[in-house]
Amino acid sequence: MRSQSSRLISEISSQDSALLKLLVTALAPYRKWVFFALLLMLVTAALNVVPPYLLQQAIDGPIAQGNMRALALITILYGITAIGLFVVTFAYTYFLQQAGQRALADIRTRLFNHIFNQDHAFFTRNPTGDLVSRLTSDIDSVNAVLSTSLVIILVEGVTLIVIVTVMLVVNWRL
């Protein structure tokens, strides 16, 4: 039983490393777009820290003192931050989606060319409908990884690192 589970874990690990290698090689021609997206993710993570800070400043300062002019200034800064966050999030999503969709198109083309270059015996053994169905399903799975899972992991991970860093800078004894 133990050898079966270790074999299964090894197989899953090799599939994950193969998928990662496929993604890295497919995204390599679009590394500039991925770089810009990652850079904008850092900006997004930094901007995600600003609204709570502004809220804390508003509560401790203008609201406690009844200073409406200062509160209006903080409100304007909060709005500018929200708009900036929207624009930067849109930009990194655009760059990442462009790179991802082009990489997927390249993968799709390579896979279809590979299938088209098979001999007649291959098509006799494997029904065409099954091949197309599996190919489409696999491409959709890679698309899901590129478009949602990877983006969420990157953005949330970077945001967590920035928030912890800001917390330590503000009060290291926290």
Side-chain angles (χ1 to χ4, degrees):
M1 182 71 171
R2 184 168 247 183
S3 65
Q4 245 182 351
S5 63
S6 64
R7 199 172 336 132
L8 181 63
I9 291 171
S10 174
E11 184 178 318
I12 290 171
S13 175
S14 68
Q15 288 175 353
D16 289 345
S17 61
L19 178 61
L20 184 62
K21 183 179 176 184
L22 174 70
L23 291 176
V24 168
T25 55
L27 286 171
Y30 310 105
R31 63 181 158 266
K32 286 182 183 178
W33 290 19
V34 173
F35 174 76
F36 286 132
L38 292 174
L39 189 65
L40 291 171
M41 282 181 197
L42 289 172
V43 174
T44 301
L47 285 176
N48 277 330
V49 177
V50 174
Y53 175 76
L54 290 175
L55 187 61
Q56 182 255 337
Q57 291 298 312
I59 291 170
D60 291 346
I63 292 175
Q65 299 167 358
N67 185 349
M68 297 306 279
R69 182 180 212 100
L71 184 60
L73 178 63
I74 290 176
T75 304
I76 291 169
L77 287 174
Y78 193 94
I80 290 170
T81 302
I83 291 169
L85 192 57
F86 171 77
V87 169
V88 173
T89 301
F90 176 82
Y92 88 70
T93 303
Y94 173 79
F95 284 123
L96 205 55
Q97 287 296 323
Q98 284 293 322
Q101 292 305 314
R102 289 172 190 246
L104 279 174
D106 293 347
I107 291 171
R108 197 175 286 122
T109 302
R110 281 184 13 215
L111 289 174
F112 274 113
N113 286 337
H114 180 74
I115 287 176
F116 287 146
N117 290 327
Q118 298 301 314
D119 60 355
H120 181 67
F122 175 79
F123 290 109
T124 305
R125 287 188 314 269
N126 300 301
T128 306
D130 289 348
L131 291 173
V132 172
S133 174
R134 183 165 180 200
L135 185 65
T136 304
S137 172
D138 289 349
I139 294 288
D140 287 344
S141 297
V142 172
N143 187 21
V145 167
L146 274 177
S147 63
T148 55
S149 303
L150 190 63
V151 174
I152 290 171
I153 289 169
L154 286 173
V155 171
E156 297 303 324
V158 170
T159 300
L160 176 67
I161 291 168
V162 169
I163 287 173
V164 169
T165 303
V166 168
M167 287 172 57
L168 290 173
V169 167
V170 170
N171 186 355
W172 65 271
R173 292 179 300 233
L174 188 64

